[in-house]
Amino acid sequence: MSLSSFPGSSLSSSHPLLPYGWDDSWADAFAPYGAEGLIAGRVVRVDRGQCDVVTADGPLRADTAFVTPHDPLRVVCTGDWVAVEPTGDPRYVRTYLPRRSAFVRSTSSKRAEGQILAANVDHAVVAVSLAVELDLGRVERFLALAWESGAQPVVVLSKADLVPDAATLGHLVQDVETVAPGVPVLTVSSTHGEGLDVLAAVISGGTSVLLGQSGAGKSTLANALLGDDVMDVRATRDVDGKGRHTTTTRNLLPLPGGGVLIDTPGLRGVGLWDAETGVGQVFSEIEELAADCRFHDCAHLAEPGCAVLGAVESGELPERRLDSYRKLLRENQRIVAKSDARLRAEIRKEWKRRGAEGRAAMEAKRGGAR
């Protein structure tokens, strides 16, 4: 079956790629490549310079060497819509269509490179295990990356059956809701099936990426949503709630209730990558308070008339929340500065200005004390 049988202006309801997210907009974006005789497909897995692509004519294996291999943010990744050669051995991906969203984190290398984890995602499902103590700072970190990607975050508190007391479970949900403004927070037990119907309804009809630390129950959750034991599941260590990386690649799989799911390996390190907007979204209440600070460039450290510090003193804003906000902003600024020489110069200039102001203030204070 050829894609030419399905004009972009009027997609048939039987189009083979519809379950994978194909729509009129993708068809329009692909039209110039279709005119060149290329075929469209969605990347369902990438591994070692090659990728598995689902097309209207069925799945195929393609080489990605033609697609900018030197920029880690422009390599083909799971979730991409691509234009592939119709024949050849090997076949080659010629390009990918402009991404609607991209989930990017910084790598652990000292070169400050970004790593793209998934593309064209509608929902970023952050799995948080209730088998261990909640790490709210890590939840905030995941949410910052999710908001920055352009996807709608959803927090799933997995292994809810391990918290049998309803009151305790309610407090845990409330704690997460406090650090996740504007984000649905769902409790799920993959073992007992509780909450799965609600989650399936939330993510149906779009593309979702499943994120979280190793041991968060992502593979079990993925199997429950898929209705089959597709993903390998291994036991979690009792001592710290961590598991081994049962998922080693990113796989895109259609959900029985509609939509597709991208499962990812457990992420030990979740570094920010140019995520200032995402951080602001996670800490929206701090950004709103900052609008009432006396100085527009208030750093919320010790400035007079700081509305943010005032909210901390009154108990309106938890100090832990402000500390986390500062930490993520500093980290993001360092990452951006490493990859942007102009910004590095601006930051040095700002540091010098603040240092000079501090020294002047100290001198004035000493002079007044004489």
Side-chain angles (χ1 to χ4, degrees), residues 347-363:
I347 290 174
R348 283 196 297 269
K349 183 178 179 181
E350 177 67 10
W351 284 345
K352 289 180 180 178
R353 183 184 70 80
R354 288 184 179 273
E357 289 178 351
R359 287 191 296 273
M362 287 299 296
E363 290 295 330

Side-chain angles (χ1 to χ4, degrees), residues 9 11 21 25 28 36 50 52 69 80 86 98 100 108 152 166 168-169 177-178 188 222 267 302 352 367-368 370:
S9 58
L11 289 180
S25 295
D28 290 342
E36 297 175 11
Q50 293 191 315
D52 295 327
D80 272 328
R100 295 178 182 175
S108 57
Q152 165 67 51
T168 301
L169 183 60
E177 287 177 338
T178 300
V188 169
L267 301 175
K352 289 180 180 178
R370 288 173 186 162

